[in-house]
Amino acid sequence: MRRYGKNTDEDDIRQRPNRKGNRPRTNIRPKHEDAAEGMVLTVDRGRLTVLIDDVPVTAMKARELGRKAAVVGDRVSVVGDLSGKKDTLARIVRIEPRTSVLRRTADDDDPYERVVVANADQLAVVTALADPEPRPRMIDRCLVAAYDGGLSPLLVLTKSDLADAAKILDLYGDLDIPYVVTSREELENGTAVARVREQLDGKITAFVGHSGVGKTTLVNALVPDDRRRSTGHVNAVTGRGRHTTTSALALPLSGDAGWVIDTPGVRSFGLHHVDPSRVIHAFPDLEPGTENCPRACSHDEPDCALDAWVAEGHADPARLYSLRRLLATRERREGD
Ligand SMILES: Nc1nc2c(ncn2[C@@H]2O[C@H](COP(=O)(O)OP(=O)(O)OP(=O)(O)O)[C@@H](O)[C@H]2O)c(=O)[nH]1
Ligand SMILES: [Mg+2]
Ligand SMILES: [Zn+2]
């Protein structure tokens, strides 16, 4: 694991004024020389589990971090007791720059943006083919959040034992988005795991989707039991007797082949934070059709070239409908 010696950042200078009066201020001030870097595995009411040199260490944010919150997937620098022993509490002194940020707002009118996961390479958008019914709008929204945050999407269609995947694959199968279809039986006999692993190996993948689509079931099938237990993960039992995930949790794939991050189910994926001009990136099937659009086209106006693009059969009209529904959601918000 990389250890930090002379690394500092602007915050360090502000937070740690020069204590030795006769020394000039410098931006190469060594700080927290004993800090070790690790990855945040889970966050539970201000207590974070950070994996440092294969040891899960309980830590909390140091005051000097201010309001900056560390989330699952964050690379953080930690000082203090790193033994991982019971009742020890280390301090997180620095959050390293993020390579990707998955954000959501509770809904589109909610200005409060949550960072769900940091540094994930891939967003697995998990959709059940039945129970609960698939909602393409939710898939589109997750795709938007993925493209916006710098994650590449993966479609995971679960419960193919209950309903056929053809309808959803008709809408998404032609896109450049990789997908896997799983069923209960395939999860139990291991064939699904091999197929899903092909899409996960070497990557950090965050699993998102509605509650009950099977995210945790899939993650459990992917990760050996003992790995889960060592993290002391919390699940709540719902009124219907089902276990629902209450906090995000990162788990290692066997063979050091990457990470999977289970997250709590969400009702919707608010996109308040997304720049509307980037929404089109979530529709790679439509994007080439915008070449003939007027400048600064809203893609929802009479001269928009996308109508012709779809009419010529280059893309599914349902996809254009979906794009415009998203854009309309964004526009309604614009005025307030
Ligand atoms: N028939 C069938 N049921 C499944 C399949 N995968 C999961 N389930 C069931 O679906 C229910 C919900 O699964 P979970 O894995 O808890 O769903 P989740 O997405 O983690 O839900 P939250 O944690 O609430 O977000 C459980 O009763 C699972 O047994 C599948 O492939 N087929
Ligand atoms: Mg779950
Ligand atoms: Zn247009």
Side-chain angles (χ1 to χ4, degrees):
M1 185 100 355
R2 196 149 66 102
R3 292 195 179 262
Y4 280 79
K6 295 205 154 41
N7 288 17
T8 55
D9 61 24
E10 281 176 342
D11 285 351
D12 299 339
I13 310 305
R14 222 179 307 125
Q15 304 282 347
R16 303 257 303 202
N18 187 11
R19 283 188 187 147
K20 290 180 185 154
N22 59 349
R23 227 171 63 183
R25 288 186 177 218
T26 160
N27 63 358
I28 54 159
R29 183 192 317 285
K31 183 190 161 190
H32 297 308
E33 282 178 87
D34 55 340
E37 195 185 318
M39 175 185 173
V40 176
L41 301 183
T42 191
V43 183
D44 181 22
R45 283 161 296 172
R47 291 281 192 275
L48 297 91
T49 305
V50 183
L51 189 70
I52 300 167
D53 290 330
D54 278 335
V55 178
V57 172
T58 304
M60 63 184 293
K61 245 173 58 173
R63 182 170 301 182
E64 62 206 81
L65 278 182
R67 291 175 56 191
K68 218 160 145 192
V71 301
V72 173
D74 260 323
R75 310 287 320 179
V76 293
S77 289
V78 183
V79 298
D81 190 334
L82 307 181
S83 67
K85 292 201 185 100
K86 201 168 169 284
D87 297 328
T88 59
L89 189 59
R91 286 185 311 127
I92 296 172
V93 291
R94 190 163 49 234
I95 302 170
E96 304 302 329
R98 293 166 174 163
T99 58
S100 77
V101 187
L102 178 66
R103 298 183 175 87
R104 65 176 280 264
T105 47
D107 61 56
D108 288 327
D109 295 323
D110 178 4
Y112 181 67
E113 146 195 335
R114 293 140 244 257
V115 176
V116 186
V117 165
N119 300 324
D121 306 302
Q122 182 165 253
L123 185 66
V125 181
V126 186
T127 307
L129 293 163
D131 186 28
E133 280 307 299
R135 281 165 44 193
R137 249 203 108 180
M138 172 70 168
I139 301 175
D140 286 340
R141 290 176 153 270
C142 292
L143 296 179
V144 171
Y147 285 96
D148 183 66
L151 297 84
S152 50
L154 167 70
L155 291 182
V156 179
L157 305 176
T158 61
K159 310 197 188 185
S160 68
D161 49 297
L162 301 181
D164 201 71
K167 220 174 99 195
I168 295 291
L169 287 180
D170 259 4
L171 280 180
Y172 296 96
D174 284 346
L175 304 187
D176 268 346
I177 302 167
Y179 67 87
V180 280
V181 182
T182 63
S183 67
R184 182 184 293 289
E185 199 199 334
E186 292 169 310
L187 284 177
E188 282 164 4
N189 70 21
T191 53
V193 169
R195 219 168 43 240
V196 178
R197 280 283 303 250
E198 274 176 37
Q199 302 292 337
L200 305 183
D201 280 3
K203 296 177 188 140
I204 301 176
T205 303
F207 288 71
V208 299
H210 288 308
S211 185
V213 294
K215 298 179 293 298
T216 301
T217 305
L218 184 56
V219 165
N220 280 345
L222 287 162
V223 178
D225 262 0
D226 54 327
R227 302 276 190 134
R228 295 189 71 79
R229 255 181 260 119
S230 68
T231 58
H233 192 223
V234 210
N235 273 322
V237 180
T238 66
R240 290 155 64 211
R242 211 173 58 68
H243 287 266
T244 192
T245 307
T246 52
S247 55
L249 171 68
L251 292 156
L253 290 167
S254 59
D256 272 339
W259 291 84
V260 287
I261 302 176
D262 191 9
T263 69
V266 292
R267 211 164 272 133
S268 72
F269 223 94
L271 299 173
H272 186 98
H273 58 280
V274 171
D275 176 350
S277 71
R278 282 153 76 168
V279 172
I280 186 75
H281 295 318
F283 294 79
D285 51 333
L286 296 175
E287 203 167 11
T290 62
E291 250 168 52
N292 297 324
C293 282
R295 265 194 67 206
C297 183
S298 69
H299 306 310
D300 200 7
E301 55 193 63
D303 288 340
C304 179
L306 286 174
D307 294 283
W309 178 259
V310 164
E312 287 158 15
H314 295 296
D316 190 326
R319 296 277 297 158
L320 181 54
Y321 176 70
S322 190
L323 168 71
R324 288 186 170 157
R325 244 180 1 185
L326 282 182
L327 290 170
T329 310
R330 305 287 321 154
E331 264 154 31
R332 266 203 303 283
R333 215 184 49 69
E334 223 65 292
D336 60 41

